[in-house]
Amino acid sequence: MNERRDDVSRKTVWLLIVAAYLFSFAIRLIWVHWASQYPSFFWNGQLMINTNDGYFFASGAQHTLWGLHANNPRVPSMWSYGVVALTTWLTKLTPMSLETVILYLPAIISSLVVIPIVLIARLFDKTLWGFLAALLGAVTWSYYNRTMVGYYDTDMFSAMAPMFILYFLMRSVVRFDLRSALYAALMIAIYPFLYDQGRAIVFAMGLIYAGYLIWKHKKERVTYESLILVFLALTPYKLPVPWEYLSHVVVVSAAYGFLQRYRTLSLQRLMIATGALFLLFLILGDVFPLIWHKIQSYVVTGTTEEGKLHFFAVNQTVREAGKIPFDLFARRISGSVPGFFLAMIGYGLLLWRYRPFLLSLPLMGIGFFAYWGGLRFTVYAVPVAALGAVYLFVWLARYIQDRRAALALPVLATIALLYPNIRHIIDYKVPTVFNASEVKDLADLNRKASGKDYTIAWWDYGYPIWFYADTSTLIDGGKHDEDNFIVSKVLQTDSPILAANFARLAVETYAKDPHHKVAPKLFEGKDPNRLLAEMEQRDFPLPPKTREVYFYLPYRMMNIFPTVMLFGNLDLTTGKALRRPLFSVMRPVGQKGNILELSGGVAIDLRRGLLLDRRQKIRLRRLVVTELGKKMSIRSVTQNYYSEGTYSVIFLKSYGRVVILDNQTFQSLYVQMFMLGRYDKELFELVLASPYTRIYRLKR
């Protein structure tokens, strides 16, 4: 039985697109409604964003708009990323503040994905299918998570822009006209400006497009004309931005004009030109090494080697870069496990009935790679999976004679598929990156520090420190490589002198040469263990001081401190851990006499100094009870127990937390200077203290 085709007018199509867009945007306001209840989520009169990486691009906009971060070597320029340019223009040309732009831009941009979804279905005269798939694809689990209001990142373009490319490539093979190939090539040309991490995906789409056209139309001149445009767009020219993107647009447009003018070119010449451009694309694009590098970068574990040194690999600590359970994988692509299987059946039908959908295989392929490579990749498969899921019911509806029932089936099925996704959106209550009190601390640091100063902080906090404090950092959300060792070692060392010397040496080295990694440079040709031992001496020779260095010690780092320690707890010559530290944060849940009961089934005998862990009784070295006093001073009372005790306990009464840790970690810089407020006054000066943060200035 034939499938029903529609004769929907162009005006109706665009009305449906607008309706789908408004639906997508409105659903994203659910988070705004929830977050607006919390004053601590507001700063400068606006809700703050909810992704750390967003502050990287926002800092770039600050730099372009107001000249901030002039001394920060890592802040992007306006033309480095499309999101920075777009943010800058919107802030300049509209009444919106920078804070408002970065909050709502993800929803504004990502909702545009409904356009190519509807238009792809329109290629096959099935507008209703496209409309329903657009409703689903725009709000499905992982696409929503990475494009919600406040998720200010290039992810807003990650699946939306490839879907436009897919639409024009599919239109090119369906209509078999050069103009569609031109539009596809122009989208490919500007895609790296919008989402630079997706180049490998577009390369794969281009290769499959070439294979498809040669398979279906190898003797047609339009095939080779189209491939000339696409290969010109795909080939990197290795020019500085923005000339790289502009040159692609100019070259592709000029090539289109040339091909239109010289229609008498022989098929053989077009084939030779296509082959030459294909080889140029493979060579200049480093196509297969690039794709392999992308895969390898998300499956690497253990330590990384830099020369003869071994550093801890960051990807094994990033949740986005690890293997995920199948049910989570399925829900992120389709909202539910049944929905996922329905989508896969529908997608299989699409590949069978409409061969142009073969061009979508790279998007589905990278989505499936998420099962091994990490949850972030599921987003690419979402729009195509939505098309597959809805198509299954459109296909089934052809067996229903009653027109109303045939229409109702895909509509009701889409509502059912939408339900778990909207339920997820309602329940997905993500806080802002920092609360207002934490931001106030950084704003206070901004008033004390100058733009050329540096802040020693873990990489999670790098970008927000740029944005709110206008100081530079050694590591950040994009630069978390071998230099993680430096910051980790500084935060966990029990030698304040080593921390001071290492911080000063690293900052001055990086400030002088910001284009190279600091740790490999410092240890090059040296015994790292000997150099670290020498840094424990007060007379260790340091470079001249050119700027201030601050230490940012936040309360929120307590929960990730064990992970932070992994990077510095290494013998760089072997890559093996130096020791097995303990740092466990628990909550007191009750007290019976001298027994303090903790979360996790652990208890402490306060009188006898014993840690009661199941049937074990472990002797403690000490118990320290702290409480915040006036002007954020820390009052502490220490109860010493056994000199041979392996562990210590810190009871942070003001926070309602108990920390069980080994004795060496007890002496670490973070524990001593944040939790206990103890520091060497010859080396450090406390410049800011709050319940959330303690910031010190390095005197050396």
Side-chain angles (χ1 to χ4, degrees), residues 168-188:
F168 287 120
L169 290 176
M170 290 181 69
R171 195 175 96 162
S172 168
V173 301
V174 170
R175 297 184 180 178
F176 201 52
D177 68 325
L178 189 59
R179 184 176 291 272
S180 296
L182 169 67
Y183 296 150
L186 291 174
M187 277 300 303
I188 290 169

Side-chain angles (χ1 to χ4, degrees), residues 627-641:
E627 195 167 8
L628 294 177
K630 295 179 179 179
K631 298 183 179 180
M632 291 298 106
S633 62
I634 299 177
R635 299 193 300 266
S636 65
V637 177
T638 301
Q639 173 66 55
N640 292 310
Y641 293 119

Side-chain angles (χ1 to χ4, degrees), residues 306-309 519-528 530-531:
E306 180 72 30
K308 295 182 179 180
L309 302 178
K521 186 174 182 179
L522 291 179
F523 294 121
E524 185 179 6
K526 301 174 183 176
D527 180 344
R530 177 177 295 180
L531 180 58

Side-chain angles (χ1 to χ4, degrees), residues 105-116:
L105 191 61
I108 294 171
I109 296 298
S110 66
S111 295
L112 294 173
V113 76
V114 303
I115 299 175

Side-chain angles (χ1 to χ4, degrees), residues 187-248:
M187 277 300 303
I188 290 169
I190 65 171
Y191 181 62
F193 183 52
L194 302 176
Y195 190 69
D196 64 321
Q197 299 178 59
R199 193 185 295 266
I201 299 168
V202 178
F203 281 4
M205 292 174 72
L207 291 172
I208 289 185
Y209 174 71
Y212 184 92
L213 281 183
I214 293 172
W215 171 43
K216 286 286 189 180
H217 309 284
K218 66 180 178 180
K219 295 183 179 180
E220 302 288 340
R221 64 181 297 113
V222 174
T223 292
Y224 301 100
E225 290 173 335
S226 299
L227 292 180
I228 286 172
L229 297 181
V230 169
F231 286 142
L232 284 172
L234 286 170
T235 304
Y237 300 162
K238 312 292 187 181
L239 298 176
V241 294
W243 306 114
E244 173 76 9
Y245 315 120
L246 293 176
S247 63
H248 274 85

